[in-house]
Amino acid sequence: MEENQTMVTEFVLLGFCLGPRIHLVLFLLFSLFYTFTILGNGTILAMICLDSRLHTPMYFFLSHLAVVDMAYACNTVPQTLINLLDETRPITFAGCMTQTFLFLAFAHTECVLLVVMSYDRYVAICHPLHYTVIMNWRVCTILAAVSWIFSFLLALVHLLLILRLPFCGPHEINHFFCEILSVLKLACADTTLNQVIIFAACVFILVGPLCFVLVSYTSILVAILRIQSGEGRRKAFSTCSSHLCVVGLFFGSAIVMYMAPKSQHPEEQQKVLFLFYSFFNPMLNPLIYSLRNAEVKGALKRSLCKESHSWLVWCSDHKSW
């Protein structure tokens, strides 16, 4: 047993066993999604940094969410694309553990950021006169820093609990990336403690925050209905509805994957759920925030108009030469 435990230095990700042609189609499709995720979130991040009108707490947290989504995609998608072209290409043990750690860290960070964003909207709509005092830049910076630090520490706990386990084969992970539950199935030791910690973390990082978000948005909905101005009510509802879409997509898919009975979700079905969680959610966030948010659309229009104006000036200068 001790000899076998030292032999597992790499894993093979089985991914999707669908044949070479379908793998090629998936490679092209996922590459498109990946490109759109990076460009979409990168555009939102650039607009927030460059447009002074978006230098507010809400867009400060949105910029962190965009960074998380890009990092999230960069952690899982490239390895998935490689496996679609070469199913037998292994991933090292260290690389697999790193991917698991980063996946958990970024997932936890997004959970906490969504809670912070819901609190920001609650203060802005329910206590507008005290908003600038409560959500000052010092508080925003502390909330963002705590979100990142807490999430990475929680992911580190999971990683340390995995590293204590022996892996003596098989070395095939039935997934398209090193997802924690799939990795634990390969351990040749009791993983009860890991399972208990994962479930407790899900309650703490998913159910608790989701309840807080729902309470916050219930209060927000009541406050919106009391707004006399039709324009103010429309603006508040537009902003909050975009947040609720992101919250519903993220928390809903995460709870189904980690807290629903596993017998109801076969492994292949779980892969599809993780596709939504890993590919579509980071890609949809920029669409949701840009299409349902007048300020983001306005910033994008101003940026495009500025670029077109600069281009026209450049062309006119060169014509005069």
Side-chain angles (χ1 to χ4, degrees):
M1 179 69 74
E2 291 299 326
E3 281 185 19
N4 289 337
Q5 288 172 14
T6 60
M7 288 177 61
V8 179
T9 58
E10 58 185 28
F11 295 107
V12 174
L13 297 169
L14 298 181
F16 305 94
C17 303
L18 300 172
R21 291 185 179 179
I22 298 181
H23 280 190
L24 181 59
V25 173
L26 289 177
F27 175 83
L28 296 174
L29 190 62
F30 291 168
S31 297
L32 182 64
F33 290 161
Y34 180 56
T35 303
F36 189 83
T37 298
I38 299 301
L39 290 178
N41 285 286
T43 300
I44 290 225
L45 184 62
M47 284 192 300
I48 293 173
C49 292
L50 297 175
D51 196 321
S52 59
R53 300 184 190 184
L54 299 182
H55 292 175
T56 63
M58 183 180 80
Y59 294 106
F60 172 74
F61 295 125
L62 181 56
S63 67
H64 282 266
L65 188 65
V67 171
V68 170
D69 284 335
M70 286 191 291
Y72 202 73
C74 291
N75 180 48
T76 57
V77 179
Q79 184 66 46
T80 303
L81 296 177
I82 291 172
N83 290 339
L84 286 172
L85 296 180
D86 184 3
E87 299 176 32
T88 61
R89 183 167 181 175
I91 180 173
T92 64
F93 182 85
C96 186
M97 293 300 103
T98 301
Q99 190 179 59
T100 302
F101 169 73
L102 291 177
F103 171 80
L104 293 171
F106 294 137
H108 294 157
T109 305
E110 184 153 354
C111 285
V112 180
L113 281 175
L114 289 174
V115 173
V116 171
M117 292 173 73
S118 70
Y119 175 70
D120 171 72
R121 290 299 84 204
Y122 166 77
V123 176
I125 294 173
C126 298
H127 304 283
L129 298 180
H130 302 93
Y131 179 67
T132 54
V133 176
I134 297 174
M135 297 301 293
N136 58 67
W137 283 112
R138 182 174 177 272
V139 171
C140 292
T141 304
I142 291 174
L143 288 174
V146 168
S147 299
W148 285 93
I149 294 170
F150 167 78
S151 301
F152 273 74
L153 288 177
L154 184 56
L156 183 60
V157 172
H158 289 296
L159 179 65
L160 294 176
L161 289 174
I162 294 175
L163 292 177
R164 73 182 178 87
L165 298 171
F167 292 90
C168 48
H171 65 287
E172 294 179 339
I173 298 176
N174 189 16
H175 218 294
F176 58 86
F177 75 102
C178 293
E179 190 271 327
I180 185 170
L181 296 179
S182 299
V183 172
L184 287 177
K185 291 178 181 178
L186 304 184
C188 51
D190 185 22
T191 60
T192 303
L193 178 61
N194 298 75
Q195 301 285 352
V196 170
I197 296 299
I198 289 172
F199 185 82
C202 286
V203 173
F204 184 71
I205 205 75
L206 288 176
V207 179
L210 180 59
C211 292
F212 180 85
V213 169
L214 292 177
V215 170
S216 297
Y217 279 106
T218 300
S219 302
I220 288 171
L221 180 61
V222 172
I224 288 175
L225 295 176
R226 292 176 180 171
I227 296 177
Q228 300 297 325
S229 168
E231 178 64 21
R233 184 184 300 179
R234 185 198 63 79
K235 183 178 178 181
F237 184 78
S238 175
T239 302
C240 292
S241 61
S242 63
H243 288 187
L244 277 175
C245 287
V246 174
V247 167
L249 290 172
F250 184 83
F251 282 98
S253 57
I255 288 174
V256 167
M257 285 186 301
Y258 286 103
M259 302 198 72
K262 293 297 178 286
S263 59
Q264 296 181 12
H265 304 287
E267 288 184 341
E268 296 304 316
Q269 188 176 343
Q270 289 182 42
K271 291 180 187 178
V272 175
L273 289 172
F274 268 101
L275 274 180
F276 183 84
Y277 194 69
S278 304
F279 283 77
F280 303 133
N281 213 31
M283 181 187 68
L284 288 174
N285 283 355
L287 276 177
I288 293 171
Y289 280 110
S290 60
L291 293 178
R292 299 190 62 86
N293 194 302
E295 290 178 333
V296 173
K297 287 190 286 187
L300 182 59
K301 288 178 182 177
R302 288 192 295 272
S303 178
L304 293 175
C305 290
K306 186 177 180 180
E307 288 297 325
S308 61
H309 177 72
S310 300
W311 172 254
L312 290 174
V313 171
W314 184 85
C315 289
S316 62
D317 290 342
H318 279 67
K319 282 183 180 179
S320 62
W321 291 353

